[in-house]
Every structure is written in structure tokens, then in C-alpha cells.
């Protein structure tokens, strides 16, 4: 059966995307700061943000950013410094980082759920000089008092939630009083180029604590140009942003695309299934960035006669299952779905430009791409090699790890791997001597397959980190947070698949000392206090002894295969019950009540 779109037509669209993605060069001095100042001068009254029915123009956003820049200058911030930003989705998030970019300051985007050692790690690994924190995140900051005493911190008040400030944190509004809202001198960022860091964005990768990935001004700008081109976006479009801005998806892909064409953004603090369509209709939203779970939430709501009567025409994102894809697109009248594969730190990405259900992209002519799939053995966590010691490309419909050739072209950003702040972490993401001696490739950590028409399909993630509720969950981080639970002898965290749900849900295999029994209420309370909601294990398995490999490592693969199926697991099983605030015994009735499908094997 022939594909509905020819290879040549797919390549034509890809060429448009590639040309847009090469708009900005590493050595240019035009940066994000210049982009906003330019739009503020040419379209000062054009609506940029819509937030709680308040409209903020490009000109007003730029003035707010200037206050941050000029006040930051007064506190001693200069080009090359790093300032951390920890705030939920609200206009101050964007105005703060735009303002700091005017000084040539790199902004470390901190996960608003981070606390304790994970938060301390984020601030220390980036060498942040100043912390800008939303008052809604002060509780998390309070978990590391020893560090915040040493770090100059400014609180960005939240008008929706009045909070008393700790004595060691300054009110940013006091600092902004009497400060000029004019553009600061461009000389303050003299020498800054588009190849320099705009952000540090944290990504869990496949192992360990989150790593800070470099994100340059060039990458931010080119991502926007590329996405705007494939979406055929114009200044008349309204983008809907409800995913966290500290993620690369919303913070880079969505905002940069809107800014590339001077469009507007409907900004929401967090996603609401009940308010999604009313807000789309009210504000005439035309483009939305999604994750598969969001679309699944929306199709589980009762059908309405006017479901397809809305302004939303294009959606872009990742994680749609074929079933959800078809139902969502049909029911709500979506013209095109742009499902893609990418990663915050990746030096490449692929995008489904043909509306091919289930696919995350196509590479019609391999010789025009730097993407390859190589054979990977999950049991040994290694790549299969040929007789010459080189990696082997996957055949059609064979699952393998996606890799991207690393390029270093002097006047181009194509194929560049910007890496992490930690050189060792950067090197671990590079595969060398893959097909020829001396070559270098970015290792994605993701498993995909391609069909006979060269459409690619996401299969799974390599390693311990799994994705759940749009967040990457580090098994090590979860285990570390729960390891000191009284009487706990061993804890093994892994992800298991749930039918018709994106990603994997957390499962914990627990082993207690002989004198301690599992307390489902107390352990639920303990998890809730130590972890953000998305990282709390959904399933518990209480074992008599830990499953270990011959090298004395905790075994995960076999446990993942057994999942939460009572017929495969001899140990007691429990499932998280938010309504009862406890772990309840896992039974068919319990799963049905919690709307969880029975286990059918890991995808």
C-alpha cells in the first residue's frame, strides 16, 4: 500500500523547515533581546500575552523586561553571569528572562516542583549568582535554607496568592521602584553572540539527577523560525500555552514560534480540561502545543454537539497514540497534527509533516538526514556491533536507538550538540566510532522504529528514566527521596505501561526488614511529602527480597515485564488512591474504580 504522500512531497516540506531552521548563525550578534526590542519598536501595541483576561502587548512586555534588566544591572549582574528563575507560568516568567537576556545573563530555568537535594543540585550545578523566585515557590525554597542564606534571592510576588516573605529573600518590587523602563544600552551585552547560552534547561536524560543542558540564543531563534514555518503561522495566530515554561517544549518551541511571527500567546498557569475549549473559543486560539496525555484527558470528557465548532486548527507536540489521535482530530475538527520527536538537548529532531497517524516523523531520503536508528540490546544495555566493531543500522520495523550525527560547521548551527554544563555528562551522550573511525553521534536514549515508507514511530525510552504526566521521572531521584523510610530495606523504582496511556507510570518494589510491615496509609503520606505528584509511584509491590543481577544491580527489566498483573506477580500489589489518600490493595474492582486498565505488557 503506497503512502498517501510521496517522498518528494515530504522532502519539499522538510526543505522549507530546514531553510527556516538555518536562519540564524552562531556568530551573529542578533539575539533574543534584539528580537523583543525589535517587535516592541515595530508592533508596540500588538497583543503578546493573554493571561487571566489581561492583555499584555509586545511593547509592555519589553518595558517590564527593561525594569528587570536595569535593576539587575544595579545589583551587579553582567554578561556571562547566571541567574536562576523559578516561577510558574505567568507573564513575569517571560519578562524576567527577556530582561536578563538584555544583559547577556544566562537564565537557569528551575523546575517549580524541585525541592531539597534536587533543588540544591540545580542551583549549584549552574553556579547561579542570583535566584528570582515566584512567591508560589517559596515552600520549595524553604527546603534548602542553608543554600538560600548564601544566595541572593528576589521574590516575584504572586498577585493571586499573597505570601509573607522570609527574612532572607528580598521583594523584587522594591528593587524595581524608580528604575527606568527604557531599553538598557546594547553595549552591556557587547561581544554576546547567538551561539552563547540563553538558558540552562534541566533534563533528566536516562540516569541520575537532572542535568543542565545548554540552550543558545541561536537555537531558541531557529526553533521558532522552523516551527513557525511548518505551522505556516502568522501574526494573526493565537498560541495556547499551558505546559510548564521551564520545559524546552513550551519555553523554547512554543514561545519562540509565536515570537518568530509576532503572534499572541494565551498563557495559562496550568492545564484545565474543563476550561480548555471555552478558552479556545473565547480567545480564538488557532495553534496549541500538546502532549498525548492532554489529548486523552479531553476526549474522555462527555461529547458536546459543538465539539468541532472551535478555532483550533493545528496542534504540535508528542505522545499521541493512534487511537487518541484519530478520535481527537475527528471529534474536534483539527486540520493537522504535527507529531514530532525531539529532546531539549538533541542536535536534531523529526516532525510528521504529512499527518500520518501514529508517526513522529519521516525521513524520505536517508542521505539528506543526519538521523539513524541503530540496533540496541535492552537486556545488556548495549549496542550491537558488527565484525569491525561498528554499530549496525536497524532494518525496517526493527526497534533501535535513534542517534544524530554531530556536526561542527563554523557558520551554521545545523547538527550542533550544545551539551550540558557538566563535560562528563556531555561526553556520555556522545557515541564515537559508530560507523567509521572518528565519527561522533548524539545518543538520544530513545527507541524508535521505521516502516517501509520511512515513517518513524516512537517506542520507548532507554534506561531508567521514564516519562509520566508530561514529566521525566528519574528512578534514582525517586529512590533517593524515599530510601530513608523507616524499616525499608530496599527500594527499586521503574516504569510500567498502562494501556491507552502515554509514557509509563511509576512502580516501586519494596523490601522491608523482618520487623516492619507495609503501612499503605503512612507510605502514601511519606511519598506525598517527599515527591511532586507526578513522581509518586502509582503501583507498589511488596517483595520478600530484592531482585538483583549477577553484578549486584537492581533488576528492572523482569519487573517491568511483570508489571502490575496479579497473575504474574506473587507479591502483594497496591495502587495509589488519591481520594482515600492511601495505597489500596490492587484488585480488578480497584483498577476499574480508578479508571486504570489491566496490565497487558510493556510497550
Amino acid at each position: 500500500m503506497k503512502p498517501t504522500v510521496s517522498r518528494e512531497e515530504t522532502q519539499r516540506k522538510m526543505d522549507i523547515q530546514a531553510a527556516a531552521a538555518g536562519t540564524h548563525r552562531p556568530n551573529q550578534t542578533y539575539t533574543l533581546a534584539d528580537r523583543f526590542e525589535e517587535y516592541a519598536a515595530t508592533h508596540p501595541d500588538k497583543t503578546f500575552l493573554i493571561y487571566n483576561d489581561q492583555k499584555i502587548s509586545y511593547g509592555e512586555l519589553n518595558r517590564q523586561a527593561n525594569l528587570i534588566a536595569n535593576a539587575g544591572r544595579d545589583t551587579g549582574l553582567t554578561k556571562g553571569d547566571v541567574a536562576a528563575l523559578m516561577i510558574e507560568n505567568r507573564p513575569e516568567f517571560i519578562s524576567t528572562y527577556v530582561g536578563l537576556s538584555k544583559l547577556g545573563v544566562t537564565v537557569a530555568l528551575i523546575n517549580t516542583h524541585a525541592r531539597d537535594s534536587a533543588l540544591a543540585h540545580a542551583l549549584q550545578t549552574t553556579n547561579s549568582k542570583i535566584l528570582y523566585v515566584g512567591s508560589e515557590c517559596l515552600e520549595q525554597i524553604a527546603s534548602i535554607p542553608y543554600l538560600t542564606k548564601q544566595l541572593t534571592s528576589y521574590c516575584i510576588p504572586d498577585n493571586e496568592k499573597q505570601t509573607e516573605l522570609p527574612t532572607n529573600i528580598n521583594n523584587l518590587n522594591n528593587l524595581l521602584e524608580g528604575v527606568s523602563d527604557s531599553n538598557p544600552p546594547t553595549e552591556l551585552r557587547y561581544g554576546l553572540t547567538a551561539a552563547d547560552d540563553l538558558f540552562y534547561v534541566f533534563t533528566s536524560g536516562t540516569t541520575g539527577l537532572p542535568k543542565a543542558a545548554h540552550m543558545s540564543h541561536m537555537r531558541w531563534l531557529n526553533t521558532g523560525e522552523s516551527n513557525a514555518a511548518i505551522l505556516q503561522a502568522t501574526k494573526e495566530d493565537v498560541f495556547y500555552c499551558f505546559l510548564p515554561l521551564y520545559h524546552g517544549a513550551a519555553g523554547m518551541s512554543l514561545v519562540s514560534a509565536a515570537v518568530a511571527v509576532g503572534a499572541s500567546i494565551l498563557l495559562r498557569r496550568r492545564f484545565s480540561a474543563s476550561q480548555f475549549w471555552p478558552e479556545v473559543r473565547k480567545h480564538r486560539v488557532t495553534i496549541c502545543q500538546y502532549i498525548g496525555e492532554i489529548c486523552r484527558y479531553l476526549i474522555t470528557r462527555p461529547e458536546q454537539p459543538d465539539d468541532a465548532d472551535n478555532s483550533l486548527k493545528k496542534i504540535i507536540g508528542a505522545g499521541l497514540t493512534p487511537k487518541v489521535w484519530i478520535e481527537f482530530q475527528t471529534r474536534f475538527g483539527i486540520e493537522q497534527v504535527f507529531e514530532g520527536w525531539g529532546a531539549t538537548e538533541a542536535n536534531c529532531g523529526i516532525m510528521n509533516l504529512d499527518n500520518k497517524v501514529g508517526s513522529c516523523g519521516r525521513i524520505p531520503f536517508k542521505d539528506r538526514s543526519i538521523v539513524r536508528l541503530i540496533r540496541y540490546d535492552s537486556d545488556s544495555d548495549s549496542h550491537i556491533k558488527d565484525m569491525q566493531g561498528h554499530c549496525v543500522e536497524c532494518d525496517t520495523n526493527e526497534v533501535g536507538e535513534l542517534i544524530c550525527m554531530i556536526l561542527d560547521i563554523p557558520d551554521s548551527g545545523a547538527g550542533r550538540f550544545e551539551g550540558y554544563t557538566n563535560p562528563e555528562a556531555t561526553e556520555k551522550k556522545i557515541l564515537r566510532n559508530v560507523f567509521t573511525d572518528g565519527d561522533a553521534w548524539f545518543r538520544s536514549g530513545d527507541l524508535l522504529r521505521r516502516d517501509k515508507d520511512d515513517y518513524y514511530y516512537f517506542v520507548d525510552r532507554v534506561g531508567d528514566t521514564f516519562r509520566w504526566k508530561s514529566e521525566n521521572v528519574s528512578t534514582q531521584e525517586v529512590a533517593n527521596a524515599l530510601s530513608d523510610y523507616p524499616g525499608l530495606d530496599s527500594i527499586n523504582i521503574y516504569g510500567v505501561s498502562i494501556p491507552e496511556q502515554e509514557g509509563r507510570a511509576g512502580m516501586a518494589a519494596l523490601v522491608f526488614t523482618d520487623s516492619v510491615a507495609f503501612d499503605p496509609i503512612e507510605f502514601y503520606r511519606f511519598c506525598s511529602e517527599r515527591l511532586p505528584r507526578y513522581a509518586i509511584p502509582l503501583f507498589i509491590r511488596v517483595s520478600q527480597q530484592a531482585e538483583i543481577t549477577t553484578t549486584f544491580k537492581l533488576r528492572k527489566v523482569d519487573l517491568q515485564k511483570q508489571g502490575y498483573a496479579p497473575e504474574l506477580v506473587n507479591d502483594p500489589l497496591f495502587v495509589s488512591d488519591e481520594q482515600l489518600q492511601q495505597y489500596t490493595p490492587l484488585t480488578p474492582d480497584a483498577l476499574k474504580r480508578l479508571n486504570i486498565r489491566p496490565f497487558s505488557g510493556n510497550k
Side-chain angles (χ1 to χ4, degrees):
M1 184 177 184
K2 293 183 178 181
T4 55
V5 179
S6 70
R7 292 178 183 272
E8 289 75 17
E9 175 60 16
T10 301
Q11 188 63 54
R12 183 191 67 79
K13 290 182 282 189
M14 290 177 63
D15 289 344
I16 295 173
Q17 180 186 19
T23 302
H24 300 277
R25 305 287 181 167
N27 296 325
Q28 71 181 37
T29 57
Y30 185 89
T31 64
L32 174 143
D34 299 287
R35 170 60 57 87
F36 272 91
E37 290 182 0
E38 175 186 286
Y39 278 17
T42 58
H43 303 89
D45 299 323
K46 175 69 170 67
T47 297
F48 173 44
L49 297 178
I50 306 168
Y51 180 76
N52 288 348
D53 292 332
Q54 173 192 8
K55 293 185 177 181
I56 301 172
S57 67
Y58 275 91
E60 177 57 28
L61 189 284
N62 188 62
R63 286 189 290 273
Q64 293 175 8
N66 289 337
L67 293 175
I68 296 293
N70 292 317
R73 178 189 183 188
D74 292 343
T75 63
L77 282 175
T78 61
K79 182 174 73 72
D81 285 337
V82 178
L85 178 61
M86 186 178 187
I87 182 175
E88 293 182 352
N89 282 20
R90 45 192 178 103
E92 293 88 344
F93 189 113
I94 298 177
S95 61
T96 300
Y97 78 63
V98 173
L100 293 172
S101 76
K102 291 169 180 276
L103 302 177
V105 171
T106 300
V107 183
L109 304 181
I110 309 298
N111 188 321
T112 55
H113 298 287
R115 58 188 307 125
D116 301 315
S117 60
L119 178 55
H121 165 79
L123 296 174
Q124 292 171 330
T125 194
T126 55
N127 294 316
S128 295
K129 184 176 180 179
I130 285 181
L131 168 65
Y132 293 87
V133 56
S135 57
E136 67 273 20
C137 298
L138 289 177
E139 182 181 347
Q140 293 89 304
I141 295 296
S143 68
I144 52 168
Y146 64 94
L147 187 57
T148 51
K149 286 181 181 179
Q150 308 166 17
L151 185 65
T152 301
S153 302
Y154 292 98
C155 177
I156 305 172
D158 182 1
N159 294 330
E160 300 170 46
K161 182 181 179 182
Q162 300 299 321
T163 306
E164 185 175 345
L165 296 187
T167 56
N168 61 321
I169 297 182
N170 307 291
N171 189 323
L172 181 63
N173 287 345
N174 296 335
L175 184 67
L176 301 181
E177 289 183 2
V179 174
S180 170
D181 65 358
S182 298
N183 291 336
T186 56
E187 290 78 9
L188 295 177
R189 53 184 185 271
Y190 177 78
L192 187 74
T193 69
D196 290 322
D197 288 328
L198 167 63
F199 294 139
Y200 293 146
V201 181
F202 282 88
T203 174
S204 295
T206 54
T207 59
L209 287 169
K211 298 178 286 290
H214 294 282
M215 184 180 291
S216 66
H217 289 261
M218 174 183 64
R219 182 141 184 248
W220 191 92
L221 290 165
N222 278 338
T223 297
E225 304 282 4
S226 172
N227 284 348
I230 63 175
L231 289 165
Q232 297 182 313
T234 72
K235 61 180 174 45
E236 304 305 322
D237 279 304
V238 179
F239 288 69
Y240 196 178
C241 179
F242 47 78
L243 298 177
L245 285 169
Y246 60 75
H247 272 179
M252 177 175 68
S253 301
L254 185 146
V255 177
S256 64
V259 172
V261 293
S264 303
I265 299 173
L266 172 60
L267 181 64
R268 208 177 203 287
R269 183 77 68 110
R270 55 186 59 86
F271 172 73
S272 168
S274 63
Q275 294 302 308
F276 183 89
W277 291 115
E279 290 188 339
V280 164
R281 294 184 177 98
K282 178 178 181 180
H283 299 289
R284 305 297 299 169
V285 170
T286 53
I287 298 172
C288 172
Q289 186 164 31
Y290 68 85
I291 58 170
E293 190 71 4
I294 296 298
C295 298
R296 191 182 71 83
Y297 287 152
L298 292 171
I299 65 172
T300 58
R301 296 185 63 81
E303 291 191 35
Q304 302 296 326
D306 63 346
D307 276 341
D309 182 16
N310 65 78
S311 56
L312 183 60
K313 299 306 175 186
K314 302 169 187 176
I315 62 175
I316 182 170
L320 270 184
T321 63
K323 179 180 178 181
V324 173
W325 183 322
I326 294 171
E327 184 172 349
F328 189 87
Q329 187 170 15
T330 303
R331 176 175 163 184
F332 298 112
I334 307 300
E335 291 179 356
Q336 188 158 5
V337 176
F338 294 91
E339 172 86 1
W341 172 87
T344 299
E345 71 276 38
N347 66 328
C348 67
I350 57 177
M351 181 71 67
N352 182 346
L353 306 179
D354 301 333
N355 215 34
K356 173 78 170 180
V357 173
S359 171
C360 60
R362 189 188 196 188
I363 301 175
F365 302 105
K366 190 177 74 170
D367 60 347
R368 302 187 64 175
S369 171
I370 62 173
V371 173
R372 299 290 185 272
L373 286 186
I374 58 174
R375 291 178 177 174
Y376 169 79
D377 181 1
S378 59
D379 289 334
S380 63
D381 186 23
S382 62
H383 298 98
I384 297 172
K385 303 293 181 67
D386 61 17
M387 296 296 291
Q388 288 72 43
H390 294 142
C391 293
V392 181
E393 285 194 62
C394 292
D395 291 331
T396 299
N397 286 319
E398 182 180 8
V399 175
E401 183 175 1
L402 185 146
I403 61 173
C404 309
M405 183 188 296
I406 297 174
L407 305 176
D408 189 13
I409 304 171
D411 195 34
S412 171
R416 284 198 175 196
F417 175 42
E418 296 180 338
Y420 308 100
T421 57
N422 183 328
E424 293 182 4
T426 299
E427 185 60 31
K428 287 181 179 179
K429 291 293 285 186
I430 300 175
L431 288 177
R432 301 187 183 277
N433 307 316
V434 175
F435 299 119
T436 60
D437 292 345
D439 65 2
W441 296 70
F442 168 79
R443 182 181 180 183
S444 71
D446 287 336
L447 301 176
L448 289 84
R449 66 174 177 85
R450 59 177 176 81
D451 66 17
K452 61 182 178 61
D453 297 314
D454 288 313
Y455 284 99
Y456 284 66
Y457 302 83
F458 179 81
V459 176
D460 207 349
R461 289 182 63 84
V462 170
D464 295 341
T465 294
F466 56 90
R467 194 163 181 80
W468 183 243
K469 303 295 186 184
S470 81
E471 298 277 356
N472 284 336
V473 182
S474 165
T475 57
Q476 178 180 321
E477 194 171 350
V478 174
N480 289 344
L482 304 179
S483 60
D484 61 342
Y485 181 81
L488 188 62
D489 184 60
S490 171
I491 181 169
N492 189 1
I493 305 294
Y494 50 98
V496 295
S497 296
I498 298 178
E500 299 183 9
Q501 292 208 36
E502 177 197 358
R504 297 190 176 199
M507 187 164 186
L510 308 178
V511 178
F512 290 90
T513 58
D514 293 340
S515 60
V516 175
F518 176 63
D519 185 330
I521 297 176
E522 180 59 24
F523 192 75
Y524 183 93
R525 183 196 63 78
F526 188 83
C527 291
S528 300
E529 291 179 351
R530 295 295 187 91
L531 297 168
R533 182 179 174 188
Y534 65 81
I536 296 173
L538 183 61
F539 303 106
I540 299 293
R541 171 177 181 162
V542 182
S543 305
Q544 293 299 311
Q545 61 182 17
E547 295 285 335
I548 59 173
T549 67
T550 55
T551 56
F552 300 97
K553 295 180 180 179
L554 289 170
R555 187 187 303 276
K556 298 180 185 289
V557 174
D558 291 344
L559 297 180
Q560 287 177 322
K561 291 178 180 178
Q562 296 170 4
Y564 55 94
E567 66 274 16
L568 300 177
V569 179
N570 295 324
D571 301 322
L573 294 172
F574 297 83
V575 60
S576 172
D577 191 325
E578 289 190 0
Q579 183 176 356
L580 299 179
Q581 294 288 290
Q582 69 173 59
Y583 284 100
T584 192
L586 191 152
T587 64
D589 287 341
L591 292 179
K592 184 176 182 180
R593 178 171 59 84
L594 296 170
N595 197 28
I596 298 173
R597 297 289 301 274
F599 184 75
S600 62
N602 278 293
K603 297 180 287 186

